[in-house]
Amino acid sequence: MILLRVQRSLALAPGKRVRAYHDLITLPGAGGKPVPVVSHGPPGYSAVSGHTVTGRYLVSKIAKMGTQVIVPYRDEDEARHLKPMGDLGQIVPMEWDIRSDAQTAECVRHSDIVYNLVGRDYETKNFDYNSVQVSGAERIAAVSASCGVPRLVHVSHLNASDSSPSAFYRTKAQGEARVREVFPEATIVRPGTMYGFEDKLLNDIAVSPWWWKLNQGKTKIRPVHVLDVAQALADLMPTAYPGRTLSLPGPSTLTHAYLLDLVSAVTLRSFHSYAPEIPRAAALLFASLVQRVWWPMISPDEVLRRYINDSDAASSWEELGIRPAEVEGLALKYLRRYRTTDTFTDAVAFPARPELVSSRPCEK
């Protein structure tokens, strides 16, 4: 979750600044009373945009605009890396528990926009899907409304649906409905499966390719770059599209088999030598057992999601003025680290270049 405070400025010359009409933004406040937001200071990280936001990639985007960002955290170490993304005092970490209305109110009460980025990819004994993505989302929205926060951006998922066989997708849809009930003007954002440095898409395929052979690799998804989604969320600061639902899928629909081939080609590793597809029942049984014993490699619900095609919902990118990037142009950036010297001596990976698997140059 991110809370935001924003200000803008116009610098005419070093040490000289003036305020103009574009430095003033009027936001709806509690009880319909307008709230003025005035920006000042030099542009960039040291600017004061006048906004306060509650809610890694998004923090960097909005901090660069001169926004004061409140970052609620459960573990202090998890928020520490965000501090250098803004000037002194611009990134404000605050301890937070999703079950505490008092802590939530303390985090959001000074903000003029709240980004709810909280989600649970798999269930644990302390937090299941419902407590985080349904009642948790409702609590954040209700507390934000009671504190007079004028704007709320709730991040869901492209496949959110009440009729989905996946509990993850069902609770995403239920969370959206609860948020709408208590905060009707909230903006719902539905991104597709995201990829980036810490993703669970390209990295997972590189580390555990066999899990992506489920459904014979025929499942279709619409992967989207995390920085494109972050930019879209940052652009919602001045105009939040109140009451709207925005879908942000990737620009292309790709199969898991295609992504396996892409990752294999970029990492110079052959995935074709791995065991054939794991039967669905066996995959579900294995995931259930592993989840009970230790931290899950893959949860049973994730296994179900491997069989669900991404929604064909119309894209909102054009309306936001953003052209999302294709995964092929960025795959090397995120997967280069998985290349090893062993790949250059792999006869399967280099079938057409036998000289790469011949004796070493120093050997006679």
Side-chain angles (χ1 to χ4, degrees):
M1 183 169 65
I2 302 180
L3 311 169
L4 220 39
R5 221 180 257 140
V6 186
Q7 292 153 333
R8 268 183 243 144
S9 65
L10 175 66
L12 296 180
K16 183 178 180 181
R17 303 176 197 81
V18 298
R19 291 176 182 169
Y21 284 118
H22 61 260
D23 291 311
L24 173 64
I25 299 175
T26 303
L27 299 174
K33 183 179 179 181
V35 177
V37 175
V38 181
S39 61
H40 63 278
Y45 285 109
S46 297
V48 182
S49 65
H51 294 272
T52 302
V53 183
T54 304
R56 175 161 169 144
Y57 298 104
L58 177 58
V59 172
S60 179
K61 291 282 186 183
I62 56 183
K64 191 182 297 185
M65 300 165 65
T67 300
Q68 185 179 36
V69 186
I70 299 171
V71 184
Y73 66 84
R74 291 179 58 205
D75 185 344
E76 187 175 4
D77 289 338
E78 293 179 355
R80 186 171 296 170
H81 66 280
L82 301 174
K83 291 285 286 184
M85 293 184 180
D87 209 342
L88 185 64
Q90 200 169 344
I91 309 297
V92 184
M94 295 185 68
E95 188 174 2
W96 175 67
D97 186 337
I98 194 172
R99 295 162 294 198
S100 171
D101 288 351
Q103 285 188 336
T104 302
E106 185 64 24
C107 289
V108 307
R109 64 191 182 96
H110 294 298
S111 300
D112 52 65
I113 183 169
V114 171
Y115 289 90
N116 180 13
L117 311 177
V118 181
R120 177 80 269 177
D121 194 53
Y122 55 87
E123 295 182 306
T124 65
K125 64 180 181 180
N126 294 320
F127 294 99
D128 58 15
Y129 292 132
N130 186 78
S131 63
V132 176
Q133 296 173 176
V134 182
S135 58
E138 180 184 24
R139 179 176 286 109
I140 292 170
V143 172
S144 297
S146 65
C147 290
V149 176
R151 296 173 298 166
L152 171 67
V153 177
H154 176 77
V155 179
S156 182
H157 193 281
L158 184 66
N159 293 339
S161 171
D162 285 322
S163 59
S164 175
S166 164
F168 176 84
Y169 293 147
R170 288 198 306 272
T171 52
K172 282 291 186 180
Q174 293 163 11
E176 291 179 9
R178 296 279 190 93
V179 167
R180 279 271 188 256
E181 289 177 7
V182 297
F183 204 123
E185 297 302 305
T187 304
I188 307 294
V189 178
R190 291 179 167 182
T193 302
M194 290 181 275
Y195 61 89
F197 278 113
E198 303 89 8
D199 68 14
K200 291 197 68 178
L201 179 62
L202 299 180
N203 286 288
D204 271 17
I205 293 175
V207 174
S208 306
W210 48 85
W211 289 116
W212 296 87
K213 292 188 174 184
L214 296 174
N215 197 26
Q216 300 179 345
K218 295 179 181 179
T219 304
K220 299 177 181 179
I221 63 172
R222 305 165 75 182
V224 61
H225 192 204
V226 65
L227 289 180
D228 289 332
V229 176
Q231 186 61 60
L233 293 174
D235 289 348
L236 292 178
M237 229 171 18
T239 306
Y241 296 86
R244 293 281 305 280
T245 297
L246 305 175
S247 296
L248 303 180
S252 299
T253 300
L254 310 174
T255 64
H256 287 174
Y258 177 86
L259 291 171
L260 275 164
D261 288 340
L262 174 64
V263 175
S264 178
V266 172
T267 59
L268 304 180
R269 294 158 57 198
S270 174
F271 293 156
H272 299 288
S273 60
Y274 285 93
E277 178 196 355
I278 303 172
R280 179 171 177 169
L284 286 169
L285 177 61
F286 176 82
S288 300
L289 293 175
V290 171
Q291 189 173 32
R292 293 177 184 177
V293 174
W294 190 240
W295 209 267
M297 294 171 54
I298 184 170
S299 71
D301 196 81
E302 286 180 274
V303 172
L304 291 177
R305 280 177 257 160
R306 294 288 193 271
Y307 292 83
I308 301 175
N309 293 329
D310 274 358
S311 167
D312 58 357
S315 167
S316 301
W317 288 111
E318 187 173 351
E319 186 176 359
L320 296 174
I322 298 174
R323 184 177 181 179
E326 297 281 1
V327 65
E328 291 87 349
L330 294 164
L332 179 62
K333 178 179 180 180
Y334 300 125
L335 295 171
R336 187 191 299 271
R337 56 184 164 170
Y338 292 105
R339 291 183 174 183
T340 68
T341 55
D342 292 338
T343 59
F344 293 95
T345 59
D346 184 352
V348 178
F350 292 93
R353 301 187 63 184
E355 70 274 11
L356 292 177
V357 296
S358 61
S359 60
R360 297 176 182 175
C362 294
E363 294 179 350
K364 294 181 180 181

